[in-house]
Amino acid sequence: MPPKGEVLGPARIAGIMAAKKTPELIPLCHTLALTKVDIEFEWLDERNALRIEALVKTTAQTGVEMEALTAASVAALTVYDMTKAIDKGAVIESVKLLAKSGGKSGDYVSPLQKAFKAPSAPARAKPKTIMNEVSAPRPGPHAQRDAFREFMASNRLRPTTWAKDAGVPAALVLAYLTGQSRALSPDTAKKLARAANVRVEDMFQ
């Protein structure tokens, strides 16, 4: 099964839609007028993971933590759906509320978020979910990245396992697949080709 294409864009849209549809998904959640829904992504190179952050705001006199958690969860599920053709071993974990402001229960700060301030302050906290070993293929502006993704899919190469066999950081492969980096370095490409027992040019044709 070939990769489905660009990943983070659809995941962001899915998260925003999920936040707005939370009352339809979670029993007894109130329908709220949301003033802002923001989904952000950050690569965690040291863990070969993708962090998904959701921030939700409303002028209503109630908290929107369920909307934020739902947004982060659905965005993570979308990333998995878009990348499972390359790596079905991706894991979604640690869906948690880090901070909230307002509502009947007042402010809340998770022990993991020590520097939380109200949303109007410069430093804002966001509910987060962390995804371990997520491979996120994303076609680039040229054909080389598409060919590289097709090469991986046709040879059933998992990015984390392939990178480990080649002796290169998996984050370099994941960043290239998602368009975070424009190209693999010559040294990285040579090591990957050697591990796959092919020529470098075979990976990009």
Side-chain angles (χ1 to χ4, degrees):
M1 177 177 177
K4 294 186 178 182
E6 201 274 335
V7 173
L8 301 187
R12 178 176 285 107
I13 293 173
I16 293 172
M17 293 176 60
K20 296 178 179 180
K21 291 183 175 294
T22 299
E24 301 176 26
L25 302 171
I26 309 296
L28 304 183
C29 276
H30 300 292
T31 300
L32 301 174
L34 304 180
T35 59
K36 182 175 184 178
V37 180
D38 187 24
I39 309 292
E40 296 182 358
F41 305 92
E42 177 187 2
W43 281 111
L44 305 177
D45 293 343
E46 70 280 5
R47 296 188 59 190
N48 296 325
L50 176 69
R51 172 180 289 140
I52 302 174
E53 304 180 351
L55 171 68
V56 179
K57 292 183 179 181
T58 183
T59 55
Q61 299 300 311
T62 185
V64 285
E65 52 266 57
M66 290 309 302
E67 284 75 8
L69 291 170
T70 301
S73 299
V74 172
L77 288 169
T78 303
V79 171
Y80 181 85
D81 178 57
M82 299 289 286
T83 62
K84 65 180 183 291
I86 287 181
D87 189 354
K88 290 183 172 60
V91 176
I92 301 173
E93 62 178 25
S94 299
V95 181
K96 62 186 66 175
L97 176 70
L98 288 187
K100 68 176 289 286
S101 177
K104 292 183 179 180
S105 61
D107 296 350
Y108 167 79
V109 181
S110 165
L112 298 177
Q113 183 69 15
K114 298 179 180 179
F116 172 71
K117 295 182 181 180
S120 58
R124 66 187 184 186
K126 306 167 187 178
K128 299 179 180 179
T129 179
I130 294 178
M131 230 179 155
N132 270 339
E133 297 189 359
V134 176
S135 58
R138 177 181 179 182
H142 50 76
Q144 284 190 335
R145 183 177 287 113
D146 292 334
F148 186 77
R149 288 168 35 241
E150 291 176 4
F151 172 80
M152 288 185 61
S154 63
N155 289 276
R156 298 182 178 180
L157 292 170
R158 294 177 57 182
T160 51
T161 304
W162 187 20
K164 182 178 179 181
D165 292 341
V168 301
L172 296 179
V173 180
L174 295 172
Y176 179 63
L177 287 170
T178 59
Q180 299 297 315
S181 64
R182 293 186 177 182
L184 294 171
S185 69
D187 183 61
T188 298
K190 288 179 181 178
K191 290 181 179 179
L192 290 171
R194 189 180 303 116
N197 197 29
V198 297
R199 300 174 303 169
V200 172
E201 52 267 32
D202 293 337
M203 299 188 301
F204 301 97
Q205 292 180 350

